[in-house]
Amino acid sequence: MTAGRPDGRTAESHRIAVIAGDGIGPEVIEAAIPVLDRAANTHGFSCAWERLPYSADHYLKTGETLPDTAFQHVQNDVDAIFLGALGDPRVPGNEHARDILLGLRFRLDLYINFRPVTLLHPDLTPLRQAVGPSGRPAIDFVIFRENTEGLYLGRGRTSGDEYIAEDVNTGTGVERIIRAAFEWARAHGTTRVTMSDKSNAVPAHRIWQEKFQAVAAAYPGIDAEHRYVDALAMELVRDPGRFQVIVTNNLYGDILSDLGAGLVGGLGLAASANLHPGRAGLFEPVHGSAPRIAGKGIANPMAAVLTGALMFEQLGHAEAARDLERAVRETIAAGVRTPDIGGTATTAEAGRAVGDAL
Ligand code: NAD
Ligand code: IPM
Ligand code: MN
């Protein structure tokens, strides 16, 4: 979308739906938006933020989770969705989050949940040494989490004493996420893709082995390796530096992405993008609504800022994205940090410092 400028040229403007959600969601989103505006402005584009009310509050007041008109709207009329977090102790069944967050992932068919794990400053890792036996100096890998299948579909039934959850793996679904991981690896010059499943215990995971072998054959320059998810969890702690691209199912991707966040400073810094190439994406920090710190003004807004960077990259503004990451790195290095990463800054102070570093 373009809009007129006083000089007669057109500046690109992106229409972005904002679902700030619950708990710290609104705090981090509102701290991130001015930072993103500043980066956009520097790079010659702008964002029209459209705040939508869908949250636990809205659900408790109206009974509405994500109405169909709103779904149609975000499906048809916006360039991206920027989401804070959903989850509230007053909604113990989490039904609003299921409809809004999982609903958007499934109904928009955003089959790639892209979650980078990057060490932005050496002192952020709890590991004694950020250099593992592999000799690689940093922690820098990405997780391709399948986002439309698995146990998350909620299929199953309860019968007497049995609570049955079906783990849905389709050949089409498994193949497209594996292919996305290899395509990304090729485009970014990385040399290793690690697929993780639990096919030794879960027969349905055999399809992951089959598809992985088939897809890998088309990428001869890339080392295609497999790890069972239990062993991978161990190795990620022992030698995270050797991993480049990890592809796995919905549930394991959820767990490994929090583990990955823990290796590089925690959830306050972890970004994610829900994607389907060619469509508008949904961008959200990996973290949740953090009810224990909500309302205190101390949530780390950097995950939201870095999530905005992923959004800008997807919208075609790779330089703005790099600038945002640089500004976050510099702010951390300068010691302006919220308590989760060892500082005393408030959400607002950390946000402002990142903005100033731009
Ligand atoms: P959480 O991510 O909210 O919190 C886990 C821990 O990390 C807590 O100690 C929290 O204080 C800390 N933390 C998280 N984000 C932080 C930030 N930005 N700055 C500083 N500290 C931060 O996970 P949880 O406690 O398991 O879940 C809380 C609620 O959030 C639940 O309802 C859950 O379902 C929901 N949730 C939502 C999303 C999402 O919307 N994408 C993701 C995860 C969890
Ligand atoms: C995430 C969250 C969600 C998930 C929850 C809130 C359903 O943990 O985005 O990582 O499990 O996908
Ligand atoms: Mn999660």
Side-chain angles (χ1 to χ4, degrees):
M1 193 195 296
T2 54
R5 287 199 318 197
D7 61 7
R9 292 170 56 212
T10 52
E12 208 177 349
S13 172
H14 298 290
R15 196 166 168 186
I16 300 174
V18 179
I19 302 177
D22 307 325
I24 64 168
E27 301 174 38
V28 298
I29 290 289
E30 293 307 331
I33 283 177
V35 180
L36 300 178
D37 277 335
R38 208 152 152 176
N41 191 36
T42 308
H43 290 273
F45 65 98
S46 65
C47 300
W49 308 99
E50 203 179 284
R51 289 170 174 80
L52 304 179
Y54 307 110
S55 60
D57 267 345
H58 184 81
Y59 173 57
L60 291 169
K61 264 187 231 140
T62 65
E64 221 172 45
T65 54
L66 181 71
D68 219 47
T69 47
F71 173 75
Q72 302 293 342
H73 173 59
V74 298
Q75 182 176 41
N76 300 319
D77 310 329
V78 303
D79 300 321
I81 306 166
F82 189 41
L83 189 144
L86 291 159
D88 187 300
R90 295 169 301 166
V91 187
N94 213 24
E95 55 271 20
H96 71 305
R98 167 156 275 281
D99 283 4
I100 301 168
L101 179 62
L102 300 184
L104 286 169
R105 289 177 185 167
F106 296 160
R107 294 170 74 191
L108 297 173
D109 199 32
L110 302 171
Y111 66 93
I112 301 167
N113 195 326
F114 177 77
R115 298 189 154 184
V117 176
T118 306
L119 185 60
L120 297 174
H121 189 280
D123 74 16
L124 290 171
T125 181
L127 302 181
R128 249 179 323 188
Q129 55 203 37
V131 181
S134 66
R136 273 171 64 87
I139 302 170
D140 191 10
F141 61 89
V142 295
I143 296 174
F144 278 77
R145 166 185 178 187
E146 202 293 320
N147 214 26
T148 53
E149 301 193 339
L151 285 163
Y152 275 70
L153 288 186
R155 286 199 205 161
R157 64 198 178 279
T158 303
S159 132
D161 195 35
E162 285 188 331
Y163 293 74
I164 298 164
E166 292 174 357
D167 181 4
V168 180
N169 299 264
T170 69
T172 313
V174 171
E175 183 172 331
R176 68 179 179 172
I177 188 67
I178 291 175
R179 196 173 292 286
F182 277 99
E183 279 298 308
W184 190 92
R186 180 152 76 185
H188 292 79
T190 61
T191 53
R192 175 178 291 149
V193 173
T194 308
M195 186 276 279
S196 191
D197 63 19
K198 194 62 193 162
S199 52
N200 52 349
V202 182
H205 287 187
R206 274 188 219 130
I207 188 64
W208 284 82
Q209 300 279 341
E210 276 172 36
K211 291 296 179 186
F212 189 59
Q213 275 165 31
V215 174
Y219 298 84
I222 297 175
D223 171 24
E225 64 173 22
H226 170 259
R227 293 288 188 275
Y228 296 118
V229 68
D230 47 354
L232 178 59
M234 184 277 298
E235 212 174 341
L236 276 172
V237 174
R238 297 261 312 211
D239 189 12
R242 70 177 297 287
F243 294 97
Q244 301 179 11
V245 178
I246 292 171
V247 60
T248 189
N249 71 23
N250 207 337
L251 181 64
Y252 303 160
D254 177 50
I255 297 166
L256 294 175
S257 56
D258 272 33
L259 194 162
L263 297 174
V264 296
L267 287 165
L269 297 170
S272 86
N274 301 267
L275 305 168
H276 182 131
R279 300 191 188 175
L282 163 65
F283 300 83
E284 38 147 359
V286 174
H287 67 70
S289 54
R292 283 191 299 271
I293 61 164
K296 296 187 173 158
I298 55 165
N300 192 341
M302 289 175 177
V305 170
L306 294 166
T307 296
L310 291 180
M311 180 167 72
F312 281 178
E313 193 176 338
Q314 201 60 32
L315 291 170
H317 305 289
E319 295 212 344
R322 269 195 294 276
D323 238 13
L324 283 163
E325 189 182 311
R326 176 194 51 77
V328 168
R329 278 182 200 268
E330 283 178 20
T331 305
I332 293 170
V336 185
R337 303 178 179 201
T338 45
D340 57 302
I341 51 171
T344 56
T346 63
T347 306
E349 285 163 356
R352 265 197 305 275
V354 176
D356 290 343
L358 285 167

